[in-house]
Amino acid sequence: MIKVQQQDFNQQVEYDSLRQSSRTGAVVTFTGLVRDINQGEQISTLTLEHYPGMTEKSLIEIVEQAKARWSIIDVRVIHRIGKLQLLDQIVFVGVASLHRGDAFAACEFIMDHLKTGAPFWKKETNHLGESYWVDARECDQNALKKWGFK
C-alpha cells in the first residue's frame, strides 16, 4: 500500500495492518518527523510538494525493488504533502517479513531510495519567515551507494 496524502496517519493502524498474516515474524517501521533545525538553520515549517502520478509510480518502483531483494510479506509507505509544523509526521515506512533481517534491510532501503529518488520538493521556512527550497543532502546520496546505486 502506497499513499501520498495531506492528512496525518496513525502509526498503530498502519502497524496493525502489517501484522495481518500469521506468517509475519517481524515488522519494522520508520516514521520521519519535521525537526526544528536543518543544516544549521532554525526551521519553523516544512512544505512538501510532489508530482501527482509520477510520485506514486516512483514509490511503487522503489517498493518493487525491495521486494526483489528481500523476502517481504507486506509494505506500507505513506508520505505526506502540504505545509507541516514542527514534529508533524512526514513519512511512514513499514515492512512485514518472515525474519527481522529482511524487514530491517528493506525498510532502510526504501527510505534511502525515497529520500533521493522520489519526486518530492521540500521548502523550509526559517524562524525569520524566509522560505527556500532544499536540495538532497550529500549524506542521502551516499546512503544510496551502499545499495549498489551511484
Side-chain angles (χ1 to χ4, degrees):
M1 186 282 304
I2 291 170
K3 289 184 184 175
V4 178
Q5 62 189 38
Q6 288 191 341
Q7 65 272 23
D8 200 6
F9 50 86
N10 181 319
Q11 291 183 49
Q12 187 63 52
V13 169
E14 302 309 323
Y15 172 79
D16 288 345
S17 70
L18 288 166
R19 49 189 290 257
Q20 296 297 309
S21 170
S22 61
R23 294 180 25 226
T24 300
V27 174
V28 171
T29 66
F30 171 84
T31 303
L33 306 174
V34 178
R35 64 178 177 266
D36 67 355
I37 194 160
N38 188 28
Q39 300 177 0
E41 191 75 38
Q42 192 73 32
I43 306 303
S44 59
T45 63
L46 174 67
T47 302
L48 288 155
E49 296 182 9
H50 79 301
Y51 192 146
M54 179 184 280
T55 303
E56 291 83 351
K57 181 180 177 193
S58 175
L59 294 174
I60 289 168
E61 290 172 0
I62 291 168
V63 168
E64 290 304 316
Q65 288 179 44
K67 286 181 175 178
R69 288 177 176 232
W70 295 281
S71 175
I72 297 171
I73 295 170
D74 196 9
V75 176
R76 298 183 78 78
V77 176
I78 302 171
H79 205 298
R80 293 182 65 199
I81 55 171
K83 188 173 182 178
L84 303 174
Q85 305 298 317
L86 299 180
L87 295 177
D88 278 354
Q89 298 179 122
I90 304 169
V91 61
F92 176 89
V93 175
V95 177
S97 182
L98 291 170
H99 304 286
R100 70 180 186 273
D102 285 348
F104 274 119
C107 188
E108 186 175 15
F109 175 89
I110 291 168
M111 261 322 296
D112 287 346
H113 268 256
L114 195 153
K115 292 284 286 185
T116 57
F120 289 101
W121 293 273
K122 294 171 56 175
K123 182 189 284 185
E124 293 177 342
T125 301
N126 66 19
H127 67 291
L128 301 173
E130 300 166 335
S131 297
Y132 46 89
W133 294 102
V134 179
D135 291 327
R137 296 180 307 166
E138 187 176 332
C139 63
D140 293 330
Q141 298 290 341
N142 289 336
L144 201 55
K145 292 178 183 174
K146 73 180 167 207
W147 304 109
F149 295 92
K150 296 180 180 178

